[in-house]
Amino acid sequence: MSKTYNLKWTTNAKNDLLSIVAYIKIDSPSIANDIYQKIREKANSSNFFPLKGRVVPELQKEGITFYREIITSSWRIIYKVGNDTVYIMAILDSRQNVEDLLLQKLIKAKY
């Protein structure tokens, strides 16, 4: 039987998602809603099989291997697995310079 994990969104990740949706909503409320739903669904899938996501490559080359990611469209959902909880740490646009964004966000993350 598979272990059950709780899912917890950090304040940082919630703010990321809200910012993404607000930006897209300016041009298209329906697309913004679709993206919101896709990101939430994909993030929720991480609590069932949390080790399915890959280690974040930009962090792995720095020796940081406890953050993983799953991708939906052009969004990277960064998370960390605790004992019984999957923490959603950040939602990033993969078209941006992810290394700088990740290091800033993960250092400031609150649970």
Side-chain angles (χ1 to χ4, degrees):
M1 185 155 164
S2 300
K3 181 177 179 177
T4 303
Y5 291 84
N6 297 310
L7 183 68
K8 181 163 181 157
W9 284 69
T10 62
T11 301
N12 187 52
K14 289 177 191 174
N15 290 338
D16 287 346
L17 183 56
L18 293 176
S19 294
I20 290 165
V21 171
Y23 180 77
I24 295 169
K25 191 175 184 177
I26 295 168
D27 291 329
S28 176
S30 64
I31 291 175
N33 185 53
D34 289 346
I35 288 173
Y36 174 83
Q37 294 301 328
K38 284 179 185 176
I39 291 173
R40 292 290 301 199
E41 287 173 19
K42 192 72 162 187
N44 286 336
S45 75
S46 68
N47 73 335
F48 296 111
F49 304 106
L51 299 179
K52 76 176 179 181
R54 71 179 181 176
V55 173
V56 178
E58 294 86 352
L59 296 177
Q60 186 174 20
K61 71 182 182 184
E62 299 298 327
I64 303 169
T65 59
F66 47 88
Y67 292 104
R68 295 183 169 272
E69 70 179 352
I70 50 178
I71 299 171
T72 181
S73 300
S74 58
W75 308 105
R76 295 171 72 172
I77 302 168
I78 311 298
Y79 65 95
K80 180 170 105 169
V81 181
N83 290 333
D84 62 350
T85 304
V86 173
Y87 297 94
I88 305 296
M89 304 299 291
I91 312 294
L92 305 173
D93 184 337
S94 61
R95 298 167 289 189
Q96 294 178 312
N97 181 341
V98 220
E99 291 181 24
D100 292 338
L101 289 173
L102 276 176
L103 290 174
Q104 291 171 17
K105 288 180 177 292
L106 297 176
I107 289 170
K108 295 178 185 177
K110 295 180 183 174
Y111 295 76

